[in-house]
Amino acid sequence: MSVDNFKTNIYEYLETLPTFTFMRLFEKPSTCLAIFRLLPSLGRQIVMSLLHVEMPMPIVDLHTWVNKDGQKLLQESLLKLARLRILEEKDKYLIMNNTFRREFQNALTGGGMQQSFGLPCSTPDKHAVDISFLDHYATTQWEAILHYMVGTSLTKKPSRGVLNLLERSKLMQISNETGQLQITNKGFQFLLQDVNTQVWAFLLQYLDMAEVLQMDLVEVLNFLFQLGSLELGENYSVETLTQTQLQMLEDLRDYGIVYQRKKASKRYYPTRLATTLTSGNAALAGASIKHINGVVDTTTDATSDEEQIDQGFIILETNYKIYAYTDSPLQIAVLNLFVQLQSRFKNMVTGLITRDSIRNALIKGITAEQIIYYMQSHAHAQMRKKIPILPLTVIDQVRLWEMERNRLKPTSSFLYHEFNVQADYDAAEKYARDIGVLLWANANSRTMVITEAGHDSVKGFVKRRLHNKN
C-alpha cells in the first residue's frame, strides 16, 4: 500500500467528524500543522497562498492558477479542503476557517502559548536514552506484535490491550479448532504494508475504540498529531497532558510509539514511529530500521528503489522449491504460513510450496493473490531480472488450488418441504422464483431451498395461501 493510500484512510476518518469537532481540533497549532502535512501538494499550495489573504477569494480567480490539465486535480484538492473544514465555499467565494488560519499561523511563526508542540523537560534525565536506543525499543515493541500475529513464540505475549485491538480490528480472530487467536486475511494484508501504514491502521482502530470507551476524541487526536511534530531524541514532560492523554501513554508504550522508563515517570520520549506519523513518508523517515544478523542497523539516508530491490530475499523455482535468504524470524514465520519449510541454515531457509501448505493458508483466510504479491514484492534481485518475475507455472497452480477450494460456497438458506398438495408447492415455487429468492427446487419431492433474505416473504405467502383455503 502506498503512502497515498494510508493518508486516504486518515482523510476518510477525519471527514466523518462533525464541524464542532473540527473547531476544537483547530484550536491546537500542532494539529493544524499535522493536517496541513497530510494534504496533497496542491492543497498545501492553496492553503499557503490564502493563509495571509484576509479577503474571500473568488473561485474563478483560483482556477486561473492552474492550467487546463490541472483543473481536475484542483477540484479534488478543493473538495478535500472543504471536507476537512479548512475552506468553505460561499457565493462563489472561498473563505478560510478563521480558527485554522490563526492557529496555523501560530504553528509557523511560533506564536501562541498553548504548548501544543509538547513541553521539553527543563531538567536533565538521570536515565537519558539516545536515538539508537529508541529505535531499538520501537522495533522490539512493534515486531513483538507482528511476531504474535504470525504465531512465533520468540517474543513476549503482547498486552491485553494490544490483543483486544488485534481482535477488534479483525487482524486476528479466535480459531474454532484451537480457541486461540490466529491471523486473518486482513491480518496477512496488514503484514504486507510498510511500518507507517501499519501504525496508522492500528491507531485508526484505536480511535474507534476510544469513542466506545467514551474518551475525549479531540484530546486523543490532538495528542497523536502532537506526537508527529515532536523531536526524536528529546524528552517531554507529562505536565501538559490531560487525563485522557496520560491514559493513552500506557497504550502507546505497548505499540513502541513512545518510551517511558516506568509508568509513574514524569517524562516520555517519542520514538521514530511517533515522529513520522504525519511526515508523509512511506518508510520510517530519516532511518531504515532493519535487523542484520540480530543487530539493529540504523541508516540515515532514505531507501532508494535500487536498495529496496536488494532487500529481496526470495528465489522461487519452477519445481515449487523456494529459497529465502533471510535470518529474520518474522519473515521465516510469514513464509511458514504458506510454505512447507524443509531446511534452515544460518542465513537461509528452504521449503516447498505444496497443495497442503497453500490449503493451510487459504483456511486462515489468506488469498492466492496475497501469497503471489508477497513473493513478488520480496523477490531476490536475480529474480527481478526476468519477466515475469515469478514462474508462471507456480503462479497458475497456486490460483488453481484456491479455485479448487472455492468450488463449494456455503449460503445461509431455508428448506421448504412436506407440502401436502402439489398446487400449494407449485404456487410457492412460482412466487419464490418471481421474486428471485429461489436457490433450488425439486417438484417431484415438493422440496425447495430459499435464500435467507427471502424466507420471510415466502413464509408469509404460504401462510396466507393456507389461511385463504381454510
Side-chain angles (χ1 to χ4, degrees):
M1 183 182 293
S2 68
V3 64
D4 291 333
N5 285 334
F6 99 77
K7 280 199 255 183
T8 301
N9 289 333
I10 301 171
Y11 285 138
E12 291 173 357
Y13 181 83
L14 292 176
E15 287 170 0
T16 64
L17 301 178
T19 302
F20 174 73
T21 302
F22 272 102
M23 295 303 102
R24 290 184 60 199
L25 284 174
F26 289 159
E27 291 174 359
K28 298 288 185 179
S30 59
T31 299
C32 294
L33 178 61
I35 293 176
F36 172 79
R37 286 174 170 175
L38 294 171
L39 291 171
S41 57
L42 184 56
R44 294 196 297 268
Q45 185 176 345
I46 292 172
V47 170
M48 293 303 297
S49 299
L50 300 181
L51 186 60
H52 297 283
V53 179
E54 300 291 341
M55 299 295 293
M57 169 67 69
I59 297 179
V60 176
D61 292 353
L62 199 64
H63 281 279
T64 63
W65 293 5
V66 298
N67 57 28
K68 184 178 180 181
D69 296 334
Q71 290 298 322
K72 182 179 179 181
L73 191 60
L74 175 62
Q75 290 291 351
E76 293 173 356
S77 298
L78 290 176
L79 182 61
K80 286 184 176 180
L81 289 169
R83 288 177 174 174
L84 294 176
R85 315 301 197 280
I86 295 175
L87 293 181
E88 178 186 3
E89 182 179 341
K90 191 173 183 180
D91 298 329
K92 297 184 178 181
Y93 283 85
L94 286 176
I95 304 172
M96 180 172 287
N97 183 285
N98 285 329
T99 306
F100 177 85
R101 184 200 305 275
R102 181 183 67 251
E103 298 305 331
F104 186 47
Q105 287 175 350
N106 286 335
L108 297 179
T109 60
M113 301 295 292
Q114 302 183 44
Q115 297 176 329
S116 70
F117 290 94
L119 176 63
C121 290
S122 56
T123 58
D125 188 358
K126 296 180 181 179
H127 307 277
V129 297
D130 56 16
I131 292 177
S132 62
F133 175 88
L134 293 174
D135 284 342
H136 179 66
Y137 172 80
T139 303
T140 302
Q141 291 294 102
W142 189 251
E143 287 198 350
I145 298 174
L146 303 183
H147 275 289
Y148 182 79
M149 290 180 64
V150 297
T152 61
S153 57
L154 298 176
T155 58
K156 64 178 182 179
K157 188 176 181 179
S159 67
R160 185 67 250 176
V162 172
L163 297 182
N164 287 338
L165 204 59
L166 286 171
E167 187 174 0
R168 180 181 175 82
S169 60
K170 294 183 172 56
L171 297 176
M172 300 187 76
Q173 65 183 12
I174 296 177
S175 170
N176 295 328
E177 298 176 358
T178 63
Q180 301 294 321
L181 285 174
Q182 69 173 23
I183 194 169
T184 62
N185 169 284
K186 188 177 179 181
F188 189 77
Q189 186 68 29
F190 176 84
L191 292 176
L192 299 180
Q193 313 309 320
D194 60 82
V195 176
N196 284 64
T197 306
Q198 292 174 345
V199 172
W200 266 118
F202 236 62
L203 292 179
L204 287 172
Q205 192 59 50
Y206 184 84
L207 288 169
D208 288 336
M209 192 168 69
E211 293 186 73
V212 175
L213 297 176
Q214 296 183 335
M215 297 169 68
D216 190 328
L217 185 60
V218 173
E219 291 185 2
V220 175
L221 279 167
N222 278 334
F223 190 46
L224 293 178
F225 286 139
Q226 174 183 310
L227 288 173
S229 61
L230 300 184
E231 182 181 346
L232 182 63
E234 181 65 78
N235 62 96
Y236 294 86
S237 172
V238 301
E239 293 178 5
T240 59
L241 302 184
T242 65
Q243 193 61 41
T244 296
Q245 293 167 346
L246 288 172
Q247 181 182 342
M248 289 176 63
L249 271 181
E250 185 175 351
D251 296 322
L252 298 179
R253 285 202 310 268
D254 293 336
Y255 308 155
I257 294 176
V258 297
Y259 168 76
Q260 265 186 310
R261 194 173 68 87
K262 54 185 180 180
K263 186 176 180 180
S265 177
K266 296 298 182 181
R267 66 183 77 220
Y268 67 93
Y269 291 80
T271 69
R272 202 177 297 274
L273 293 180
T275 58
T276 58
L277 279 174
T278 57
S279 66
N281 293 322
L284 291 175
S288 175
I289 301 176
K290 53 191 176 184
H291 283 273
I292 301 177
N293 297 328
V295 179
V296 177
D297 176 38
T298 307
T299 54
T300 56
D301 294 328
T303 305
S304 65
D305 292 340
E306 291 182 2
E307 288 174 330
Q308 288 179 345
I309 291 174
D310 290 341
Q311 291 174 11
F313 58 88
I314 291 176
I315 290 181
L316 179 63
E317 296 181 337
T318 55
N319 59 0
Y320 304 92
K321 191 85 171 181
I322 192 168
Y323 302 86
Y325 292 89
T326 180
D327 60 356
S328 166
L330 180 61
Q331 296 292 4
I332 294 171
V334 173
L335 284 172
N336 194 42
L337 292 173
F338 62 90
V339 176
Q340 181 182 317
L341 297 180
Q342 296 176 324
S343 305
R344 181 167 181 174
F345 304 94
K346 183 178 180 180
N347 66 338
M348 182 184 76
V349 293
T350 66
L352 199 63
I353 293 179
T354 66
R355 180 175 178 271
D356 287 340
S357 67
I358 295 298
R359 183 174 179 273
N360 289 335
L362 295 174
I363 290 174
K364 292 183 175 68
I366 301 170
T367 67
E369 292 305 320
Q370 288 175 331
I371 293 171
I372 293 167
Y373 175 81
Y374 178 83
M375 292 191 293
Q376 186 165 306
S377 60
H378 292 85
H380 193 277
Q382 293 296 321
M383 294 285 293
R384 295 179 180 275
K385 294 178 180 179
K386 299 182 295 183
I387 298 178
I389 296 175
L390 302 178
L392 288 176
T393 52
V394 180
I395 294 175
D396 291 342
Q397 187 59 63
V398 170
R399 288 178 175 144
L400 287 172
W401 282 329
E402 181 182 51
M403 292 170 62
E404 180 183 273
R405 173 174 166 77
N406 294 338
R407 284 182 300 177
L408 298 177
K409 182 180 179 182
T411 303
S412 299
S413 55
F414 288 84
L415 176 68
Y416 284 68
H417 63 119
E418 296 184 358
F419 285 87
N420 294 326
V421 181
Q422 184 69 34
D424 291 339
Y425 168 81
D426 292 340
E429 180 191 347
K430 183 178 183 304
Y431 176 77
R433 194 184 302 277
D434 289 344
I435 64 174
V437 297
L438 182 67
L439 293 175
W440 176 85
N442 188 315
N444 294 331
S445 61
R446 297 177 187 172
T447 306
M448 62 181 179
V449 178
I450 305 298
T451 64
E452 186 176 24
H455 170 59
D456 290 338
S457 299
V458 176
K459 181 176 70 173
F461 174 83
V462 173
K463 283 185 175 181
R464 289 193 301 271
R465 181 176 173 85
L466 293 177
H467 178 75
N468 292 336
K469 288 178 65 176
N470 296 332

